[in-house]
Amino acid sequence: MRYTSVVGPLVLALSILAGVPLISPGAEAPIDSAPAVRLETVAIPATSANPAAAAPTAGISEAKPPTAPAPALSAEISTLTSSPQIASGEQSINTQQSSTHPRLFFTGSDLPSLRERMGRSPYSEMAQSILRQSDSLLRRPLLQMAYDPRQGRPPERINLLPAGAARARIASLAFSYVLSGEQRYADRATEEMLNIASWPAWADFNLNGMEADLSTGDISFGMALGYDWLYETLTGEQRAEVRDAIISKGLRAYLRGIADPRKHFWVNAYHNWNAVVNGSIGVAALALVGEEPAAEEALAQARGNIGRFFASVGADGGWDEGVGYWQYGMDHAVPYLMALVNVKGTDDGHFSRPGMRQTGYFPIYFTIPSGERTVSFSDNASKGPVKSPALYALASRYRDPAFVWYADSHKVSDPLGYIWRPDDLSAIEPSSLVQSKLFRDIGWATMRNRWDDPADTVYVAAKSGRLGANHSHLDLNDFVVYAYGELLVSNAGTAPYSYKTFSKERNSIYGISTRGHNSILVNEEGQAPRSRGSLAQPSQNHLIGDASEAYRDLKRFRRHLFFVDGRYLILLDDIVADKPARLSWLLHTEAALRVTGRDFTIEGEKARLYGFVSGSQDFGIEVRQGPEARRWAEQPDRFLSATTRSSVEDAVFVAVLYPTRLSEAGPVVSWRQQSDTLVVQVLSSTGIADSVTFRKTPDGWDLG
């Protein structure tokens, strides 16, 4: 590589790092008042990061006055200091303990410590958030199924809302009782549990007649929390009713599913379904071991099946389903491991996996600096950062203050987060994190110029991994650019889920197709499903994505992303076709997009991006608008398409993407190609002159 600057040499100071809260799935916004209604129906489309979204406000239910204080639950809060042990060395609860509750995430002796935390930050703020959530639930009607098979036809959309809401309601109300001792919270949690116990089944009736599915997992998880945390306040009859429902509609439904793996694909899956179903049933079984034989059988099955999920976490911690599904999976898998340690004295070796040690960094690096959303690679459409209590558990297990910093910064506030946040581990200063990180196993990477000030940060994320991954889009060599408080280069994102999303027509959806991403088309065709790319990082400011195998008519599509001095991006696309083909170079944004010749600008509310695209071939440029709504976007998708005017076999696209604040002028850009040398020159408005040289080798273009 040759890179020069009139002001001075480029200093490379980066190194590679080795490596919806519990209430969020189904979280419900607080309300102040509503008409008196007894039951509420929840029917809002699910999202990838939050498959059970907020329920609408629908009514007030009369809150019962406090009666007796909570019984004295009474050992210090477990912070997962037990060393991993395989089953032969596990310390199972003994016969006397088998009916002792709570046991899953804390024991009775932890109550003084849990309550003491309420008097200091950040636990006081976390506790108040939980109590406010529960107070709002006291004014709401009981949760109702989105669809009752006894009353009519199922809805047209997959609906996981009641399941996530069930888990969230029970967790919030039961833990509010644990913290405050106010009986009204326990009473309402009990009402919710008995209501849910009366539902005919805990499965989504649309999902091909599965005995157990994601809904079964979430509801079983929530009911297990209530049973465990409220055990002493429930009457014998109430315990039996809740326990019987967990057994018949949770554990036994799960065991029937295990017996039919062709229909219940999650049995052999690696992805989020594995974690949600097996992890949740594992938690429910751990709540009942020693009380019900089916619990031991279900736990044995869950322990065997969930290993596929943990084994699929990249050795560097990456998760190829995307950030939203990382949270969805980890918010079920990590609680399962925590409960397994507490009840059985082992984690079956899963916490010792290298990927689990590093996986907390995945959401950290793929949350855009402003925190308003995570990077929308794959079916990830969540607004806001990752608010996962699993980060506190991972921080406690691995003594990693970076995970505490991220969770604290984004105000993770729910019962499990409150329990697991390590008291003796201070958050790090974010500036100590490295600025460039490649998750090689999944082909994702980020580069940035700083951590401490989102308003002054320039950030690039790129992807070229495996298109056979669950929830993957056809998006090899895709990238996004954030600068100075705003996402300037985005992609089309994911449309609202429907059955088409998970059908053979999936790849025809605009936001999933290659056309909806910052990549290229060949003869108007995108990438082949299940193909694979790769992402390499020769230096901390240079990424190379290879999507050569993804196109029917290409021999090579290699993309260089060079992050010049942390200020702007130079792209070079090296393309060789099997036969002459028309090529289209695509760039997407939500902001205003204007083109003048081969120059273009992307202008947002806080920042502007000056763009320049050229190449070894003649092409035309046009601005187009995407055809579909996106789940997270407030603005329509616009994209620039630079298409060769004729078919070519060998092509080079060169682009300079130079972000600035709105008050700043853009650069002067020029480039020249002489034989096997290509030079890009950029002169900033402040007089900084950069010259970047690429050279052609037998294997293609590379930084010279």
Side-chain angles (χ1 to χ4, degrees):
M1 178 194 83
R2 190 179 77 204
Y3 164 60
T4 60
S5 171
V6 171
V7 172
L10 177 63
V11 179
L12 300 180
L14 309 178
S15 60
I16 300 178
L17 180 62
V20 163
L22 180 61
I23 290 178
S24 181
E28 297 167 288
I31 57 172
D32 295 320
S33 62
V37 180
R38 181 58 181 163
L39 292 174
E40 98 182 298
T41 298
V42 186
I44 305 173
T47 68
S48 64
N50 185 6
T57 60
I60 300 175
S61 113
E62 195 74 26
K64 296 185 179 181
T67 53
L73 305 171
S74 48
E76 233 174 79
I77 299 174
S78 168
T79 56
L80 284 181
T81 55
S82 304
S83 58
Q85 301 176 55
I86 305 304
S88 61
E90 71 184 33
Q91 303 293 318
S92 181
I93 55 176
N94 60 38
T95 303
Q96 183 178 359
Q97 294 172 315
S98 65
S99 60
T100 300
H101 295 276
R103 65 166 84 153
L104 291 174
F105 304 117
F106 58 88
T107 65
S109 60
D110 292 323
L111 183 59
S113 182
L114 287 171
R115 286 181 166 170
E116 181 275 330
R117 288 183 165 199
M118 293 176 67
R120 51 194 170 86
S121 186
Y123 304 102
S124 57
E125 294 85 356
M126 297 169 77
Q128 288 305 309
S129 176
I130 295 166
L131 292 169
R132 283 195 301 269
Q133 174 75 9
S134 294
D135 288 342
S136 77
L137 291 172
L138 295 177
R139 300 191 295 269
R140 293 175 183 265
L142 292 174
L143 188 66
Q144 187 179 11
M145 301 177 68
Y147 157 66
D148 189 329
R150 300 166 296 191
Q151 297 177 358
R153 296 181 59 191
E156 294 182 359
R157 291 183 181 273
I158 297 170
N159 201 314
L160 304 175
L161 289 168
R167 175 186 168 191
R169 284 184 175 212
I170 295 169
S172 180
L173 290 162
F175 198 67
S176 292
Y177 167 72
V178 169
L179 289 180
S180 70
E182 295 188 37
Q183 189 65 32
R184 60 189 180 127
Y185 296 126
D187 290 344
R188 180 53 190 269
T190 302
E191 286 186 76
E192 294 282 359
M193 293 164 66
L194 296 176
N195 171 49
I196 293 165
S198 73
W199 294 358
W202 295 348
D204 190 321
F205 296 97
N206 281 341
L207 296 180
N208 302 319
M210 287 190 189
E211 297 281 353
D213 57 24
L214 299 172
S215 295
T216 313
D218 258 331
I219 296 173
S220 299
F221 193 146
M223 293 287 276
L225 290 181
Y227 182 82
D228 188 54
W229 294 354
L230 300 178
Y231 188 88
E232 296 299 330
T233 73
L234 298 171
T235 66
E237 183 178 348
Q238 290 169 338
R239 286 179 202 152
E241 188 170 345
V242 172
R243 182 172 57 244
D244 289 348
I246 294 173
I247 294 167
S248 63
K249 296 165 187 175
L251 305 185
R252 288 181 179 156
Y254 169 81
L255 291 171
R256 291 194 298 272
I258 292 288
D260 185 7
R262 291 190 65 182
K263 178 182 289 186
H264 300 80
F265 64 89
W266 46 261
V267 174
N268 296 311
Y270 81 90
H271 50 66
N272 70 90
W273 275 74
N274 182 316
V276 174
V277 180
N278 290 301
S280 298
I281 292 297
V283 170
L286 287 163
L288 298 184
V289 290
E291 303 175 30
E292 164 60 36
E296 292 287 2
E297 185 180 357
L299 179 60
Q301 291 287 349
R303 291 175 76 170
N305 291 334
I306 203 168
R308 297 184 187 91
F309 173 84
F310 292 114
S312 299
V313 179
D316 43 25
W319 187 249
D320 61 15
E321 287 189 284
V323 182
Y325 282 102
W326 179 93
Q327 177 175 358
Y328 192 34
M330 290 296 171
D331 278 357
H332 295 78
V334 170
Y336 158 75
L337 285 187
M338 299 290 277
L340 187 65
V341 169
N342 287 348
V343 177
K344 290 288 189 179
T346 179
D347 63 11
D348 288 345
H350 296 310
F351 273 132
S352 295
R353 294 180 181 272
M356 288 301 293
R357 293 181 182 276
Q358 301 299 329
T359 199
Y361 286 102
F362 183 62
I364 291 175
Y365 277 89
F366 288 97
T367 299
I368 68 171
S370 65
E372 64 182 296
R373 68 175 70 154
T374 53
V375 174
S376 58
F377 295 153
S378 303
D379 281 343
N380 180 59
S382 59
K383 278 213 164 189
V386 170
K387 293 193 173 186
S388 172
L391 286 163
Y392 282 135
L394 295 171
S396 178
R397 175 70 190 190
Y398 302 119
R399 313 305 300 160
D400 197 320
F403 305 161
V404 177
W405 163 74
Y406 182 93
D408 281 357
S409 297
H410 298 300
K411 301 187 185 305
V412 172
S413 181
D414 65 39
L416 295 187
Y418 185 100
I419 295 165
W420 291 336
R421 186 184 185 279
D423 245 353
D424 58 346
L425 193 62
S426 299
I428 63 167
E429 287 296 321
S431 57
S432 65
L433 294 171
V434 297
Q435 294 171 332
S436 176
K437 178 152 180 65
L438 170 65
F439 291 83
R440 189 181 306 277
D441 282 1
I442 63 168
W444 294 34
T446 68
M447 302 180 289
R448 66 198 301 153
N449 66 335
R450 63 192 305 163
W451 282 93
D452 57 339
D453 185 1
D456 199 36
T457 299
V458 180
Y459 170 90
V460 177
K463 177 190 177 187
S464 190
R466 183 173 68 95
L467 298 189
N470 197 46
H471 287 287
S472 185
H473 291 189
L474 305 183
D475 60 352
L476 299 184
N477 282 348
D478 193 12
F479 70 98
V480 299
V481 177
Y482 164 100
Y484 307 115
E486 197 156 13
L487 189 63
L488 296 171
V489 177
S490 56
N491 55 45
T494 304
Y497 278 179
S498 68
Y499 286 104
K500 183 178 179 181
T501 311
F502 304 106
S503 74
K504 293 180 180 179
E505 300 177 73
R506 171 180 171 83
N507 293 324
S508 67
I509 297 173
Y510 169 70
I512 292 172
S513 70
T514 306
R515 188 180 298 276
H517 296 84
N518 303 307
S519 193
I520 67 169
L521 301 177
V522 180
N523 293 323
E524 291 296 307
E525 293 185 3
Q527 297 166 7
R530 311 194 71 81
S531 55
R532 183 185 290 269
S534 64
L535 197 60
Q537 189 174 39
S539 66
Q540 300 305 299
N541 62 337
H542 181 203
L543 297 170
I544 303 175
D546 193 335
S548 302
E549 298 179 5
Y551 295 85
R552 182 174 58 182
D553 296 325
L554 288 191
K555 293 179 181 177
R556 181 165 66 230
F557 171 29
R558 200 169 294 146
R559 168 165 282 178
H560 295 263
L561 299 97
F562 184 42
F563 193 35
V564 183
D565 202 20
R567 293 179 290 124
Y568 64 95
L569 191 65
I570 295 179
L571 269 71
L572 184 143
D573 288 343
D574 180 7
I575 304 168
V576 178
D578 290 318
K579 56 186 178 181
R582 294 193 69 193
L583 307 174
S584 297
W585 185 91
L586 307 175
L587 190 78
H588 291 256
T589 185
E590 297 173 40
L593 175 59
R594 298 179 181 86
V595 174
T596 305
R598 294 192 174 188
D599 296 342
F600 60 92
T601 58
I602 294 173
E603 185 164 327
E605 297 180 356
K606 302 175 183 177
R608 180 185 295 114
L609 184 142
Y610 293 93
F612 169 87
V613 60
S614 191
S616 60
Q617 60 290 318
D618 187 25
F619 56 83
I621 296 180
E622 63 176 335
V623 175
R624 302 169 67 179
Q625 184 162 312
E628 297 174 356
R630 288 144 324 136
R631 287 162 55 194
W632 47 259
E634 297 176 356
Q635 301 297 326
D637 169 59
R638 304 177 183 90
F639 67 96
L640 179 151
S641 176
T643 302
T644 58
R645 298 189 188 277
S646 61
S647 296
V648 296
E649 288 190 46
D650 190 333
V652 173
F653 282 97
V654 178
V656 175
L657 305 178
Y658 198 108
T660 70
R661 298 170 184 82
L662 289 178
S663 59
E664 298 173 1
V668 176
V669 177
S670 63
W671 81 293
R672 69 180 186 274
Q673 182 178 353
Q674 296 177 339
S675 183
D676 293 339
T677 302
L678 190 154
V679 180
V680 181
Q681 295 180 315
V682 180
L683 177 64
S684 75
S685 62
T686 58
I688 301 176
D690 303 320
S691 180
V692 178
T693 301
F694 295 88
R695 298 190 186 280
K696 194 170 186 179
T697 72
D699 295 325
W701 290 93
D702 203 349
L703 278 169

